[in-house]
């Protein structure tokens, strides 16, 4: 018998029939003798509807009151799922985040979990109940309802699993696991049986949308075993995200390829080559709450240098507005920019013990006539910035070049 925490997203909770389907799945796990805690999101589209409703009243909704409003979506689904479980004969009980006492900081709409009081849940589990908890929400020290931001239900599930010392946290999504890359781009992409936390964090941060990165970081910190499974398939082992490196890890040098279209490149030319210039450029951008990704500063020549970086495409207009003032202040010659770029990354812990990975990537792209604009590396990943029109071609040829279409056998 094991203690399992399961999380079901908005698509899984999207209708009465789907909620009944989730109840039947939970019942199967319970019938096998497991203790089960279920964390659910609001019905698909419900949070957006509530935000839109709030904006009909107030152009910029008050953050505290917005949390009061959008937290109700999960309150509906925990009640409905608990009723569905009771209807098929299971003893079940629902909890809002504040009833569990998921204590967070006071950052409304993007709160972070600080502690969880699991004592009441343990009592219910001891009496054989299935517990259904509202994801995405908690309360601060002053008793205000808070929400965790987009994807927060994943984080809620992992945090509960950590607090309860669960044997496994299962994230049910609309895909049946983590793939070597997006199957919609590369039909030959394979589902991975296992992937390390390091690799999954890199994949999530570089554009893979299977899991919310904060939940993976949380799981890594508290050593929670994570498994990604499909809400719509009855069978399948999904993908296990683990600390133990697979015995085949030496063979799988690259675990997967991530990509992100949400990129814009900015190049500040003719910048005075002197100490502190990077801060003078990036400081005002940080003050505007814009996140900078890849950064390159060229070697200075004749007292000037060029400074390039990328920002999320949605922040591109705001960044350019900030830089117009910066350009005048620092005396830069000109600014050129391109918001039609994309980032492609190869990820794998096996890269630590293998040389020539980056050169293989660069050669493969060169053979297809794909120009690399920027490069960023870490111990287990290499990212390149390319013209967006070559993105899908780049992913396909790299997937093949690193043998990711080949089934790994023992």
């Amino acid at each position: 018998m094991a203690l399992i925490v399961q999380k079901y997203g908005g698509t899984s909770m999207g209708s009465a029939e789907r909620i009944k389907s989730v109840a039947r799945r939970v019942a199967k796990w319970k019938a096998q003798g497991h203790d089960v805690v279920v964390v659910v999101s609001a019905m698909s589209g419900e949070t957006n509807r509530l935000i839109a409703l709030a904006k009909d009243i107030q152009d910029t909704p008050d953050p505290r009151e917005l949390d009061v409003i959008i937290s109700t979506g999960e309150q509906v689904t925990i009640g409905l799922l608990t009723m569905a479980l009771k209807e098929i004969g299971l003893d079940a009980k629902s909890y809002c985040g504040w009833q569990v006492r998921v204590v967070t900081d006071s950052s409304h709409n993007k709160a972070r979990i600080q502690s969880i009081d699991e004592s009441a849940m343990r009592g219910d589990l001891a009496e054989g109940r299935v517990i259904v908890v509202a994801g995405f929400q908690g309360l601060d020290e002053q008793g205000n309802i808070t929400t965790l931001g987009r994807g927060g239900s994943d984080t809620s599930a992992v945090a509960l699993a950590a607090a309860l010392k669960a044997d496994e946290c299962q994230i049910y999504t609309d895909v049946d696991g983590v793939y070597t890359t997006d199957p919609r781009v590369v039909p030959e992409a394979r589902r991975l049986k296992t992937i390390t936390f390091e690799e999954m964090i890199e994949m999530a941060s570089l554009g893979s949308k299977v899991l919310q990165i904060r939940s993976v970081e949380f799981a890594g910190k508290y050593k929670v075993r994570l498994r990604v499974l499909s809400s719509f398939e009855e069978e399948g082992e999904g993908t296990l995200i683990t600390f133990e490196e697979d015995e085949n890890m030496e063979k799988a040098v690259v675990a997967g390829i991530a990509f992100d279209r949400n990129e814009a490149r900015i190049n500040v030319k003719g910048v005075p080559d002197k100490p502190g210039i990077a801060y003078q450029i990036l400081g005002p951008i940080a003050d505007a709450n814009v996140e900078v990704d890849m950064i390159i500063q060229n070697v200075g020549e004749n007292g000037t240098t060029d400074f390039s970086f990328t920002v999320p495409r949605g922040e591109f207009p705001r960044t350019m507005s900030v830089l117009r003032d910066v350009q005048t202040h620092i005396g830069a010659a000109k600014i050129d920019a391109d918001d039609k770029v994309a980032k492609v990354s190869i990820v794998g812990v096996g890269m630590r013990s293998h040389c020539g990975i980056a050169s293989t990537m660069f050669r493969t792209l060169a053979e297809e006539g794909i120009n690399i604009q920027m490069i960023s590396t870490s111990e287990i990943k290499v990212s390149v910035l390319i013209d967006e029109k070559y993105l899908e071609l780049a992913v396909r040829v790299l997937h093949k070049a690193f043998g990711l279409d080949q089934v790994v056998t023992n």
Side-chain angles (χ1 to χ4, degrees):
M1 186 179 79
L3 171 54
I4 306 295
V5 174
Q6 298 182 336
K7 180 264 177 177
Y8 293 91
T11 306
S12 306
M13 307 300 292
S15 66
E17 282 308 312
R18 287 187 175 179
I19 291 171
K20 290 176 183 177
S21 176
V22 169
R24 291 191 292 270
R25 188 187 296 270
V26 171
K28 287 183 180 179
W29 284 91
K30 189 65 179 169
Q32 294 170 20
H34 302 300
D35 288 331
V36 185
V37 176
V38 185
V39 178
V40 297
S41 300
M43 286 183 164
S44 182
E46 179 64 6
T47 302
N48 286 340
R49 185 187 73 84
L50 292 168
I51 291 171
L53 193 60
K55 288 182 176 179
D56 284 343
I57 301 296
Q58 194 177 23
D59 289 341
T60 304
D62 179 85
R64 181 189 183 278
E65 303 312 322
L66 183 61
D67 275 351
V68 171
I69 294 164
I70 61 179
S71 64
T72 61
E74 283 73 17
Q75 188 167 331
V76 171
T77 49
I78 59 171
L80 291 172
L81 180 57
T82 303
M83 291 164 63
L85 290 165
K86 288 176 177 290
E87 187 68 13
I88 58 176
L90 271 70
D91 188 5
K93 184 176 180 180
S94 66
Y95 283 92
C96 291
W98 52 268
Q99 291 174 308
V100 174
R101 286 197 64 80
V102 176
V103 179
T104 74
D105 62 20
S106 299
S107 301
H108 286 289
N109 315 149
K110 53 181 178 180
R112 290 188 170 270
I113 296 172
Q114 295 180 333
S115 66
I116 292 177
D117 180 358
E118 79 281 9
S119 56
M121 290 188 294
R122 288 195 183 280
D124 284 322
L125 289 169
E127 294 181 14
R129 293 190 183 95
V130 174
I131 299 170
V132 183
V133 182
F136 177 64
Q137 60 181 244
L139 81 168
D140 66 11
E141 293 287 359
Q142 290 73 46
N144 300 303
I145 292 174
T146 57
T147 62
L148 308 182
R150 289 293 183 184
S153 291
D154 284 3
T155 305
S156 297
V158 173
L160 285 167
L164 290 164
K165 295 181 170 54
D167 295 279
E168 192 167 285
C169 181
Q170 301 173 346
I171 307 292
Y172 284 87
T173 71
D174 53 3
V175 296
D176 63 346
V178 180
Y179 278 71
T180 50
T181 195
D182 190 334
R184 291 170 297 184
V185 174
V186 182
E188 298 80 17
R190 292 182 298 104
R191 179 180 57 80
L192 298 166
K193 289 185 178 180
T194 63
I195 187 171
T196 68
F197 275 100
E198 285 181 282
E199 290 168 331
M200 193 65 242
I201 287 172
E202 289 282 12
M203 294 281 279
S205 67
L206 294 167
S208 174
K209 300 295 191 291
V210 176
L211 284 176
Q212 198 252 1
I213 186 170
R214 188 152 51 122
S215 67
V216 184
E217 290 172 342
F218 205 107
K221 181 178 179 180
Y222 292 99
K223 290 184 165 52
V224 176
R225 280 167 58 95
L226 271 180
R227 190 180 296 274
V228 179
L229 295 152
S230 171
S231 300
F232 306 110
E233 294 183 9
E234 290 300 319
E235 304 296 332
E237 60 184 18
T239 299
L240 178 65
I241 304 165
T242 178
F243 283 93
E244 300 83 23
E245 292 189 7
D246 188 285
E247 62 185 12
N248 290 316
M249 200 59 72
E250 286 295 315
K251 298 177 185 177
V253 180
V254 173
I257 298 174
F259 58 88
D260 191 357
R261 291 184 171 90
N262 183 35
E263 297 280 339
R265 177 187 57 79
I266 298 171
N267 187 17
V268 186
K269 293 188 170 184
V271 174
D273 188 17
K274 62 182 183 181
I277 198 67
Y279 172 72
Q280 290 183 53
I281 295 171
L282 297 181
I285 294 171
D287 292 342
N289 203 29
V290 175
E291 184 178 346
V292 173
D293 184 13
M294 307 170 83
I295 303 172
I296 293 177
Q297 182 172 340
N298 294 331
V299 175
E301 185 176 342
N302 299 323
T304 65
T305 185
D306 293 346
F307 193 88
S308 303
F309 57 94
T310 63
V311 297
R313 191 174 294 176
E315 303 288 1
F316 177 62
R318 183 149 55 115
T319 306
M320 291 299 290
S321 176
V322 170
L323 283 175
R324 279 189 276 276
D325 292 333
V326 171
Q327 180 182 6
T328 302
H329 176 68
I330 66 175
K334 64 178 291 190
I335 299 173
D336 66 33
D338 185 359
D339 63 351
K340 297 293 188 294
V341 293
K343 181 169 62 176
V344 179
S345 309
I346 56 173
V347 177
V349 294
M351 292 166 63
R352 287 191 180 121
S353 55
H354 290 75
C355 59
I357 304 305
S359 63
T360 299
M361 181 185 198
F362 302 155
R363 185 189 71 243
T364 301
L365 295 175
E367 288 172 350
E368 297 295 333
I370 300 173
N371 185 48
I372 296 171
Q373 301 180 21
M374 298 177 76
I375 302 169
S376 174
T377 66
S378 76
E379 194 178 24
I380 66 167
K381 65 97 173 168
V382 180
S383 297
V384 296
L385 195 73
I386 62 173
D387 193 312
E388 185 183 19
K389 67 184 178 183
Y390 294 118
L391 173 62
E392 295 194 5
L393 172 62
V395 173
R396 287 196 296 269
V397 296
L398 289 171
H399 194 270
K400 186 172 183 179
F402 287 104
L404 294 176
D405 53 343
Q406 304 298 315
V407 177
V408 178
T409 58
N410 291 329

